[in-house]
Amino acid sequence: QLQLEESGGGLVQAGGSLRLLCVASERTFSYATMGWFRQAPGKEREFVAGISWSGSNTSYADFVKGRFTISRDNAKNRVYLQMNSLKPEDTAVYYCAADRNGVMVRTTPVAYTAWGQGTQVTVSS
Protein backbone atom coordinates (compact mmCIF):
# COMPACT_ATOMS: atom_id res chain seq x y z
CA GLN A 1 0.00 0.00 0.00
CA LEU A 2 1.39 3.34 -1.06
CA GLN A 3 1.21 6.04 1.58
CA LEU A 4 1.78 9.73 1.00
CA GLU A 5 2.51 12.47 3.51
CA GLU A 6 2.45 16.19 2.76
CA SER A 7 4.23 18.95 4.61
CA GLY A 8 5.25 22.54 4.07
CA GLY A 9 1.93 24.29 4.44
CA GLY A 10 1.51 27.31 6.61
CA LEU A 11 0.42 30.92 6.82
CA VAL A 12 1.89 33.43 4.40
CA GLN A 13 1.08 36.90 3.17
CA ALA A 14 -0.19 37.54 -0.33
CA GLY A 15 2.71 37.55 -2.76
CA GLY A 16 4.72 35.17 -0.65
CA SER A 17 5.95 31.66 -1.39
CA LEU A 18 5.69 28.17 0.02
CA ARG A 19 7.16 24.85 -1.02
CA LEU A 20 5.08 21.79 -0.38
CA LEU A 21 6.67 18.38 0.00
CA CYS A 22 5.11 14.98 -0.53
CA VAL A 23 6.99 11.92 0.66
CA ALA A 24 6.00 8.47 -0.55
CA SER A 25 6.39 5.34 1.53
CA GLU A 26 7.48 3.14 -1.35
CA ARG A 27 9.91 3.48 -4.24
CA THR A 28 7.26 2.00 -6.51
CA PHE A 29 5.65 5.43 -6.58
CA SER A 30 8.29 6.29 -9.16
CA TYR A 31 6.09 4.70 -11.82
CA ALA A 32 3.00 6.66 -10.88
CA THR A 33 1.73 9.93 -12.21
CA MET A 34 1.64 12.35 -9.31
CA GLY A 35 -0.70 15.22 -8.77
CA TRP A 36 -1.43 18.04 -6.38
CA PHE A 37 -5.02 18.92 -5.61
CA ARG A 38 -6.59 21.44 -3.30
CA GLN A 39 -9.90 21.90 -1.58
CA ALA A 40 -11.21 25.08 -0.04
CA PRO A 41 -14.17 25.23 2.35
CA GLY A 42 -17.44 24.88 0.47
CA LYS A 43 -15.71 23.96 -2.78
CA GLU A 44 -14.97 20.74 -4.63
CA ARG A 45 -11.51 19.27 -4.72
CA GLU A 46 -9.73 20.64 -7.75
CA PHE A 47 -6.66 19.78 -9.76
CA VAL A 48 -3.66 22.04 -9.28
CA ALA A 49 -0.70 20.39 -10.99
CA GLY A 50 0.47 16.99 -12.18
CA ILE A 51 3.67 15.32 -13.31
CA SER A 52 4.32 12.12 -15.24
CA TRP A 53 6.37 9.26 -13.83
CA SER A 54 9.52 10.40 -15.59
CA GLY A 55 8.96 14.07 -14.91
CA SER A 56 9.02 14.79 -18.62
CA ASN A 57 5.43 15.99 -18.73
CA THR A 58 3.73 18.44 -16.43
CA SER A 59 0.27 19.92 -16.37
CA TYR A 60 -1.13 22.90 -14.51
CA ALA A 61 -4.50 24.38 -13.81
CA ASP A 62 -4.97 27.71 -15.52
CA PHE A 63 -5.20 29.56 -12.23
CA VAL A 64 -1.66 28.55 -11.18
CA LYS A 65 0.22 28.70 -14.47
CA GLY A 66 3.31 30.83 -14.17
CA ARG A 67 3.14 30.78 -10.38
CA PHE A 68 3.41 27.13 -9.31
CA THR A 69 5.95 24.50 -10.33
CA ILE A 70 5.64 20.77 -9.75
CA SER A 71 8.71 18.56 -9.67
CA ARG A 72 9.75 15.15 -8.44
CA ASP A 73 12.80 13.30 -7.26
CA ASN A 74 12.14 9.60 -7.64
CA ALA A 75 15.42 8.65 -5.99
CA LYS A 76 14.20 10.33 -2.81
CA ASN A 77 10.54 9.33 -3.11
CA ARG A 78 9.55 12.97 -3.20
CA VAL A 79 7.25 15.30 -5.09
CA TYR A 80 7.34 19.06 -4.68
CA LEU A 81 5.06 21.96 -5.36
CA GLN A 82 6.77 25.32 -5.42
CA MET A 83 4.17 28.04 -4.97
CA ASN A 84 5.09 31.62 -5.73
CA SER A 85 3.07 34.82 -5.87
CA LEU A 86 0.47 33.32 -3.61
CA LYS A 87 -2.99 34.84 -3.55
CA PRO A 88 -5.70 34.70 -0.89
CA GLU A 89 -7.76 32.51 -3.22
CA ASP A 90 -4.99 29.89 -3.03
CA THR A 91 -6.04 29.23 0.56
CA ALA A 92 -7.01 25.57 0.81
CA VAL A 93 -5.96 22.18 2.03
CA TYR A 94 -3.46 20.81 -0.46
CA TYR A 95 -3.27 17.10 -1.18
CA CYS A 96 -0.66 14.95 -2.84
CA ALA A 97 -2.03 12.05 -4.87
CA ALA A 98 -0.80 9.15 -6.99
CA ASP A 99 -2.33 7.80 -10.19
CA ARG A 100 -0.94 4.30 -10.62
CA ASN A 101 -2.78 3.69 -13.88
CA GLY A 102 -2.14 6.91 -15.70
CA VAL A 103 0.55 7.54 -18.24
CA MET A 104 -0.46 11.07 -19.05
CA VAL A 105 -1.42 13.49 -16.32
CA ARG A 106 -5.10 13.27 -15.49
CA THR A 107 -7.00 16.03 -13.77
CA THR A 108 -9.97 14.27 -12.18
CA PRO A 109 -9.58 13.30 -8.51
CA VAL A 110 -11.21 9.90 -9.03
CA ALA A 111 -8.27 8.83 -11.19
CA TYR A 112 -5.95 9.00 -8.20
CA THR A 113 -5.99 6.04 -5.85
CA ALA A 114 -3.52 7.05 -3.15
CA TRP A 115 -3.84 10.28 -1.21
CA GLY A 116 -2.06 12.10 1.54
CA GLN A 117 -3.90 13.61 4.47
CA GLY A 118 -3.40 17.17 3.29
CA THR A 119 -1.54 20.24 4.45
CA GLN A 120 -3.18 23.58 5.12
CA VAL A 121 -2.09 26.61 3.11
CA THR A 122 -3.44 29.96 4.25
CA VAL A 123 -2.70 33.17 2.38
CA SER A 124 -3.60 36.40 4.11
CA SER A 125 -4.63 39.50 2.21
Side-chain angles (χ1 to χ4, degrees):
Q1 183 178 1
L2 176 63
Q3 295 182 343
L4 307 173
E5 294 186 19
E6 306 96 335
S7 63
L11 174 64
V12 298
Q13 295 182 336
S17 298
L18 284 174
R19 191 187 194 195
L20 304 186
L21 167 66
C22 174
V23 180
S25 63
E26 300 177 357
R27 290 290 299 273
T28 54
F29 107 105
S30 298
Y31 300 99
T33 295
M34 301 297 296
W36 285 97
F37 292 78
R38 70 187 187 188
Q39 187 166 20
K43 296 184 178 181
E44 295 183 347
R45 188 167 298 187
E46 62 184 354
F47 173 80
V48 176
I51 187 167
S52 63
W53 69 270
S54 67
S56 61
N57 296 108
T58 57
S59 182
Y60 298 92
D62 288 340
F63 51 81
V64 303
K65 286 182 178 178
R67 299 190 298 123
F68 292 7
T69 302
I70 187 171
S71 61
R72 66 191 299 166
D73 186 341
N74 290 343
K76 296 182 178 180
N77 297 353
R78 293 181 174 185
V79 181
Y80 305 91
L81 184 67
Q82 178 66 46
M83 305 186 294
N84 298 326
S85 302
L86 284 163
K87 305 174 181 179
E89 52 263 44
D90 293 320
T91 296
V93 176
Y94 283 71
Y95 298 90
C96 176
D99 176 3
R100 301 299 296 271
N101 300 119
V103 177
M104 303 298 294
V105 175
R106 297 192 284 183
T107 61
T108 178
V110 73
Y112 293 76
T113 56
W115 293 83
Q117 293 181 311
T119 184
Q120 177 70 47
V121 172
T122 303
V123 184
S124 62
S125 60

